Amino acid sequence: MYIPQIFKETRQDVLHDLIRQYPFATLITQNNAGLDAMHLPIELLVDDEQNVTLVAHIAKNNPLHTQIDSGAEVLVIFQGQQGYISPNWYPSKQQHHQHVPTWNYQVVHVKGKIYFSQDEKVLRGILARLTRTHEAKQDKSWKMSDAPSEYIAEELRHIVAVEIQVSEMVGQFKMSQNRDPIDAVGVIEGLEQQGKMELAQTVKRSTQSN
């Protein structure tokens, strides 16, 4: 991925935060038939030695775990906030009109080796963590124990665990850092007028820290 230095993000805590906030990712693989991509929720785990692992699960009928070998290199892409930026939002446009439309966005690219498992204990651990993470946002949290144990056991027989041992992680956070302060303010105001408050706040934090 080409990343201009001004947009490059390598701080691991920042990258981890984006992955946790936007866990629905694109997994890109290559097999004998060529490139393939699939989309699935992924959880990030960091151990005491700061080793990073991504975990997920797929349907057993999904041919992924038969098309590539465990240990194959894969790419996972996480996308955060994004939005169109109009040149009309730049006050300096009125002076020289030398601006064009652009797009602000946050992405994290993760490279690593993929491994598959059908071990019941591994699968239960992945599902339990995924459930705890996302059910925590509900008024009343659902737990695996809410369903009959026989039903859960049967469901586990139809999925495969996915684990990606991360070797590289880099982000590109393009949030108007390359604009003059007055034009960055114009972007923030333009986004706010469109109701994109979260993106506007991210632009504000990014441009005020530079």
Side-chain angles (χ1 to χ4, degrees):
M1 175 171 64
Y2 166 67
I3 311 177
Q5 191 61 38
I6 192 171
F7 303 136
K8 189 172 186 178
E9 181 58 73
T10 59
R11 291 173 294 175
Q12 295 300 294
D13 59 332
V14 174
L15 301 178
H16 294 177
D17 284 346
L18 183 138
I19 290 173
R20 292 188 174 108
Q21 189 175 0
Y22 300 95
F24 193 69
T26 302
L27 169 63
I28 299 174
T29 61
Q30 184 161 11
N31 55 52
N32 292 335
L35 288 171
D36 195 8
M38 65 183 58
H39 314 278
L40 66 169
I42 294 179
E43 186 176 12
L44 179 142
L45 303 178
V46 183
D47 66 19
D48 294 337
E49 297 180 358
Q50 299 304 302
N51 296 311
V52 182
T53 305
L54 302 179
V55 295
H57 65 280
I58 58 175
K60 197 171 183 178
N61 288 336
N62 187 324
L64 175 68
H65 64 105
T66 62
Q67 290 176 334
I68 62 174
D69 295 329
S70 280
E73 294 281 348
V74 298
L75 171 66
V76 185
I77 300 175
F78 295 86
Q79 180 175 293
Q81 297 177 54
Q82 53 80 29
Y84 175 79
I85 306 300
S86 171
N88 289 327
W89 296 344
Y90 302 134
S92 64
K93 171 187 176 286
Q94 307 308 320
Q95 302 171 11
H96 50 66
H97 298 278
Q98 295 179 7
H99 286 302
V100 293
T102 189
W103 209 278
N104 278 2
Y105 57 90
Q106 299 171 310
V107 292
V108 176
H109 281 202
V110 182
K111 294 181 180 179
K113 293 183 178 181
I114 193 168
Y115 296 91
F116 304 103
S117 173
Q118 296 183 49
D119 181 88
E120 182 178 343
K121 184 177 180 180
V122 173
L123 286 165
R124 284 185 179 275
I126 289 175
L127 294 182
R129 286 191 299 269
L130 187 65
T131 300
R132 281 197 301 269
T133 297
H134 296 288
E135 285 292 325
K137 304 171 186 176
Q138 305 300 317
D139 293 336
K140 183 179 180 181
S141 298
W142 180 89
K143 304 181 294 297
M144 289 177 64
S145 58
D146 289 348
S149 58
E150 298 83 0
Y151 173 78
I152 294 296
E154 179 63 23
E155 290 293 300
L156 291 174
R157 283 193 281 270
H158 296 285
I159 61 176
V160 175
V162 176
E163 178 181 292
I164 299 169
Q165 296 180 359
V166 174
S167 59
E168 181 183 346
M169 183 181 298
V170 64
Q172 179 162 313
F173 288 15
K174 180 178 178 292
M175 287 289 155
S176 299
Q177 304 97 313
N178 58 331
R179 298 300 176 189
D180 291 335
I182 190 173
D183 287 338
V185 170
V187 169
I188 295 167
E189 293 175 348
L191 290 169
E192 289 176 342
Q193 289 172 7
Q194 292 193 339
K196 298 180 178 179
M197 307 305 292
E198 189 175 3
L199 182 56
Q201 286 300 309
T202 301
V203 172
K204 186 175 183 179
R205 289 192 298 270
S206 299
T207 54
Q208 289 184 346
S209 64
N210 288 277

